[in-house]
Amino acid sequence: MEHAKKNLLSRRGFCLCCVGGAAFAATNGWLTPREAFAEARGLVSLIKDSAAASPIVTHRLRNNISVLEGSGGNIAVLTGPDGKVLIDAGITVSRPQLTKVLADLGADPITHLVNTHWHFDHADGNDWLHSAGAKIIAQENTRKHLSEVQRVEDWDYNFLPLATGGIPSEVFATEHSLKLNGASIGLKYYGPAHTDSDISVTFAEANIVHVADTFWNGIYPFIDYSTGGSIDGMIAASDANLAATNNETIIIPGHGKPVSNKAELKEFRDMLVAIRDNVAKLKKQGKSRDETVAAKPTADFDTKWGQFVIDPGFFTRLVYEGV
Ligand SMILES: [Zn+2]
């Protein structure tokens, strides 16, 4: 537990996605459902407490677009006369810090919020942002998950529905476009990837795209099988991201270093493919999940990618589940 706590607290951008990994790291093995529940509840509080004290760092990009780092997933903001447009909401306890950094970006009111998917560390702040004036837009599965008790099997944990104001009021199935502050903003559904609700958000003129949690920059990703995610879906989303970008595109990952590019995305995609192949080979030989972890199919990548709370063993288990 102490090790897990230190990991969580020492890095910015940790999230609930990491709870499973932290619980695993804490015990050197899977917890019983009862233990996992207690652990997850403790860690949710820990994440909230830590986010409450965590500063938000603003990275200014171009065309009045910035990215805010420090409240769950990376948050993009477009400013201008039509009001502030936020891509993801962060965690509610960050409200005072977010309010300040948003004010520093200009006096425009907050008018729009897009959720890239349903996870807590991207949508927990929906309700206060709605009260502050944001109309909330998302893929239809995000609304579905945020409206119901959401069970994440890996943690034996139930998330409660958001308050009515925090539920997206405008949803779409595959594509949606907005024209705000002179920017053409394209929202596009990936199909099942990290969850079954992930979308990319593209700012055409600025050549900037927020790719949700289909990309974790420099760290192993969480994959949420309990709401439709899979390793193959993650790889398909990475291929779609590569096809939709060029060498000048600024790519905003859901987690990890918030200002990225095509070369880093390509490296992430190649890591996913190589580990998927290694794990599939071992599973095909009849190896159990624990035997597969013991064979260290991620070894070539751990120095770079395995330093976050989704550690090599936890990531191997996530891949094993999907091959
Ligand atoms: Zn997520």
Side-chain angles (χ1 to χ4, degrees):
M1 185 62 201
E2 282 317 305
H3 174 67
K5 268 187 186 167
K6 225 160 72 193
N7 264 347
L8 279 167
L9 293 171
S10 63
R11 290 162 191 276
R12 197 178 286 134
F14 54 75
C15 68
L16 206 60
C17 299
C18 312
V19 166
F24 178 79
T27 58
N28 295 315
W30 289 110
L31 302 169
T32 66
R34 264 183 99 85
E35 287 167 342
F37 181 70
E39 193 78 16
R41 240 190 342 199
L43 284 166
V44 172
S45 307
L46 183 72
I47 286 165
K48 287 186 174 177
D49 291 351
S50 179
S54 177
I56 306 288
V57 177
T58 301
H59 305 260
R60 288 177 187 259
L61 305 179
R62 56 193 177 212
N63 296 40
N64 294 327
I65 298 165
S66 301
V67 58
L68 311 180
E69 181 187 13
S71 178
N74 294 320
I75 298 171
V77 187
L78 166 70
T79 60
D82 295 326
K84 292 191 179 95
V85 182
L86 271 66
I87 314 304
D88 279 344
I91 300 172
T92 304
V93 292
S94 307
R95 179 177 183 166
Q97 298 95 303
L98 277 174
T99 301
K100 182 179 180 313
V101 296
L102 286 168
D104 290 345
L105 288 175
D108 322 309
I110 299 163
T111 54
H112 295 77
L113 164 64
V114 175
N115 289 136
T116 62
H117 63 298
W118 76 270
H119 278 159
F120 156 92
D121 49 316
H122 302 257
D124 185 58
N126 277 18
D127 193 43
W128 83 262
L129 284 164
H130 172 75
S131 326
K135 170 180 166 182
I136 307 176
I137 305 161
Q139 205 274 342
E140 59 193 14
N141 290 335
T142 294
R143 178 163 73 185
K144 189 181 87 183
H145 295 313
L146 292 177
S147 307
E148 300 167 350
V149 174
Q150 202 55 58
R151 183 166 178 75
V152 174
E153 287 296 338
D154 273 347
W155 315 325
D156 192 31
Y157 191 86
N158 294 323
F159 294 94
L160 297 179
L162 288 187
T164 317
I167 307 291
S169 60
E170 190 171 322
V171 296
F172 62 93
T174 55
E175 285 192 59
H176 188 70
S177 55
L178 301 164
K179 186 90 187 180
L180 292 165
N181 300 319
S184 312
I185 308 169
L187 316 185
K188 191 165 183 205
Y189 181 46
Y190 284 103
H194 163 77
T195 65
D196 64 0
S197 63
D198 313 295
I199 59 167
S200 59
V201 181
T202 303
F203 299 92
E205 295 81 1
N207 193 10
I208 294 174
V209 58
H210 192 312
V211 295
D213 277 4
T214 69
F215 177 29
W216 294 48
N217 191 13
I219 49 183
Y220 288 138
F222 180 66
I223 303 170
D224 185 359
Y225 285 84
S226 65
T227 54
S230 71
I231 178 65
D232 288 344
M234 287 291 284
I235 292 168
S238 296
D239 287 336
N241 288 335
L242 287 170
T245 50
N246 58 36
N247 291 336
E248 281 73 51
T249 309
I250 295 177
I251 302 174
I252 303 172
H255 295 277
K257 200 162 55 73
V259 186
S260 190
N261 55 51
K262 190 164 184 170
E264 290 177 338
L265 172 66
K266 174 78 163 58
E267 209 184 330
F268 176 77
R269 184 261 180 205
D270 291 348
M271 176 277 291
L272 294 182
V273 169
I275 291 177
R276 189 212 180 280
D277 289 351
N278 291 348
V279 172
K281 218 172 286 164
L282 293 163
K283 192 168 180 179
K284 217 169 160 191
Q285 288 166 11
K287 294 219 186 317
S288 70
R289 196 177 66 175
D290 287 346
E291 287 165 350
T292 301
V293 171
K296 300 194 186 307
T298 63
D300 291 348
F301 299 93
D302 291 346
T303 308
K304 176 176 165 81
W305 303 88
Q307 307 303 314
F308 194 54
V309 193
I310 305 288
D311 66 15
F314 186 54
F315 185 58
T316 301
R317 285 171 165 81
L318 290 172
V319 175
Y320 186 89
E321 194 169 341
V323 296

